[in-house]
Amino acid sequence: MTAFLYHFHGLGPYDFSAMSPDDLAPLQQLAAERDVEIVPTIYLRREKLPALRALVERYGVLSAEGALPNIAGFAIEGPLLGPDGGIPRKGKWHPTADEWRQLADLGPHGLRYVVMAPDGVGLDEPLDAGMTFADLLDRCYDNEVRIAVGHFHRDDPDRSARRVGEVLDYLHSRYESSPYLVLTDHLYNDMPRRFAHAWRTEVALARKPEQLAAVIGPTWTRQNIAELLGPVPAAVLTAALDGRLMPCLNFDGRHVDLTICRRTVDFLGCDRLIALTDHTEIDTMAGEVLTQDAYSRLRLRDDGAVAAGSSGYELQRANMLSIGLDVTQIDQLFRRNPKAAVAYRPKRQTARV
């Protein structure tokens, strides 16, 4: 297996957000031909919940029969997301308690994780009648569905960082502790920051030398990253150093500048990071038509917001080599770490006598 594609949205002709059970066998064949193992990531439209259940339940049957060895399960991005970000518009909504239970109960069939904003409500605040945020976390984790924190709110970074810590404290107090217990969406994107992390136009590129120097000039330490990067990136990086979550990073050079990627690898170490592509190979996603920006090669919504990348494993591997990572480090970031993360299953802590 060349790579483990952990978080991305389309392969060949398949928009993962529009798949049917009949697509599973040909997708398996395509993944095998590409020599990759995959976790298709879905933006879920509310009206597609029954179709998602049929897809994942059928996956569970075929996977148990050994028919889908290159598909390691599914992930969902949303629907509990912050107000900003280039997601398909219908991929953000507020499920009822019953809809949340339907999603969480897909864990035994192959739903591995759900990307969600951890900062929209406190743990004891209701998402719907009879379900607090803590109740949702319990339902997910008891069914082996983990959360990947991301798509944060932007109005109060200190509150967002505090709520990340509260979610981590809650989960690590109830489930066996592991770096894989909590995952993330890609670092620096869709979160409040105090620094420029990417330069995606020729106009922006003119400001890069000064802005990049401001963030990579100082040596990063636990003590200064909140000031340099902002409370939310600092909370995620510090938690990774402490073995409380496993963050992900995009190496396409457009989501995050490659110099910042290299500094992040040096700060965390290759054992505390997953490389993701967040790309798709087609120009539709969850019913929305995307266009590819000529300069950045990112795939955009009709309002110009970034919806996904277009750079797969081969290009990102080349980028990683260009910033001095060796083949062993790349294998750890792009295969061993994500494979171990997806294979992990959360377990309740046993009571001490």
Side-chain angles (χ1 to χ4, degrees):
M1 181 182 65
T2 301
F4 191 105
L5 301 184
Y6 163 89
H7 177 118
F8 73 121
H9 298 285
L11 188 69
Y14 301 104
D15 170 7
F16 298 150
S17 300
M19 282 182 62
S20 74
D22 291 340
D23 295 324
L24 288 167
L27 179 61
Q28 159 60 35
Q29 181 177 353
L30 179 58
E33 291 170 356
R34 300 276 188 97
D35 193 30
V36 292
E37 194 168 351
I38 64 174
V39 178
T41 306
I42 292 169
Y43 282 111
L44 178 62
R45 298 163 63 174
R46 186 173 219 150
E47 68 272 17
K48 294 293 186 180
L49 178 55
L52 173 76
R53 292 178 59 193
L55 173 67
V56 178
E57 288 171 0
R58 182 58 180 162
Y59 165 81
V61 171
L62 293 176
S63 180
E65 295 173 351
L68 304 173
N70 290 72
I71 305 176
F74 285 84
I76 299 172
E77 191 162 359
L80 184 64
L81 304 173
D84 299 306
I87 64 171
R89 292 172 178 86
K90 289 191 175 182
K92 178 181 178 296
W93 45 283
H94 295 283
T96 64
D98 180 65
E99 288 168 328
W100 275 126
R101 285 189 284 268
Q102 291 182 56
L103 286 171
D105 291 353
L106 289 174
H109 302 282
L111 180 61
R112 304 303 181 213
Y113 68 87
V114 177
V115 177
M116 65 174 68
D119 57 344
V121 297
L123 288 167
D124 59 352
E125 294 182 60
L127 296 172
D128 190 31
M131 177 175 282
T132 65
F133 187 32
D135 294 332
L136 171 61
L137 294 177
D138 287 343
R139 184 78 177 214
C140 286
Y141 275 75
D142 287 342
N143 281 282
E144 300 184 342
V145 177
R146 285 165 291 160
I147 67 164
V149 298
H151 288 269
F152 292 84
H153 294 71
R154 309 290 181 92
D155 56 325
D156 191 337
D158 289 320
R159 180 190 64 201
S160 294
R162 184 178 67 252
R163 285 182 170 171
V164 170
E166 291 169 352
V167 167
L168 291 173
D169 289 344
Y170 181 80
L171 290 171
H172 281 270
S173 71
R174 297 173 71 82
Y175 298 88
E176 293 181 4
S177 190
S178 166
Y180 304 130
L181 187 64
V182 179
L183 307 170
T184 79
D185 198 7
H186 41 183
L187 269 170
Y188 310 131
N189 299 110
D190 298 316
M191 65 174 61
R193 303 171 302 272
R194 285 183 178 164
F195 69 104
H197 70 302
W199 294 266
R200 297 169 180 166
T201 67
E202 293 183 356
V203 172
L205 198 61
R207 301 190 296 271
K208 178 178 175 178
E210 178 182 359
Q211 292 176 333
L212 183 59
V215 67
I216 69 162
T219 300
W220 290 9
T221 68
R222 285 176 179 264
Q223 290 71 37
N224 70 7
I225 54 172
E227 182 63 30
L228 287 172
L229 309 181
V232 173
V236 173
L237 292 174
T238 301
L241 288 175
D242 293 337
R244 282 156 51 88
L245 58 68
M246 181 63 70
C248 304
L249 186 61
N250 195 314
F251 288 85
D252 66 0
R254 298 302 187 181
H255 278 84
V256 180
D257 185 82
L258 290 173
T259 305
I260 296 173
C261 289
R262 179 65 209 228
R263 174 59 63 86
T264 303
V265 173
D266 291 341
F267 183 68
L268 291 180
C270 289
D271 57 330
R272 298 187 181 96
L273 194 62
I274 288 171
L276 59 74
T277 63
D278 192 41
H279 80 292
T280 182
E281 297 182 357
I282 58 176
D283 290 327
T284 60
M285 185 185 291
E288 291 194 22
V289 177
L290 308 178
T291 59
Q292 191 170 36
D293 180 69
Y295 181 76
S296 70
R297 310 305 295 168
L298 295 170
R299 298 187 189 274
L300 311 177
R301 292 192 322 195
D302 57 12
D303 62 355
V306 176
S310 62
S311 302
Y313 165 71
E314 292 79 9
L315 179 57
Q316 296 208 20
R317 182 181 185 276
N319 286 343
M320 296 163 87
L321 289 169
S322 77
I323 58 174
L325 299 179
D326 62 36
V327 293
T328 300
Q329 291 172 311
I330 294 170
D331 183 64
Q332 182 163 15
L333 292 165
F334 243 126
R335 186 181 64 86
R336 286 183 285 155
N337 289 354
K339 187 174 180 67
V342 171
Y344 177 81
R345 301 289 182 266
K347 295 180 181 179
R348 283 266 189 172
Q349 293 185 11
T350 55
R352 295 179 180 177
V353 179

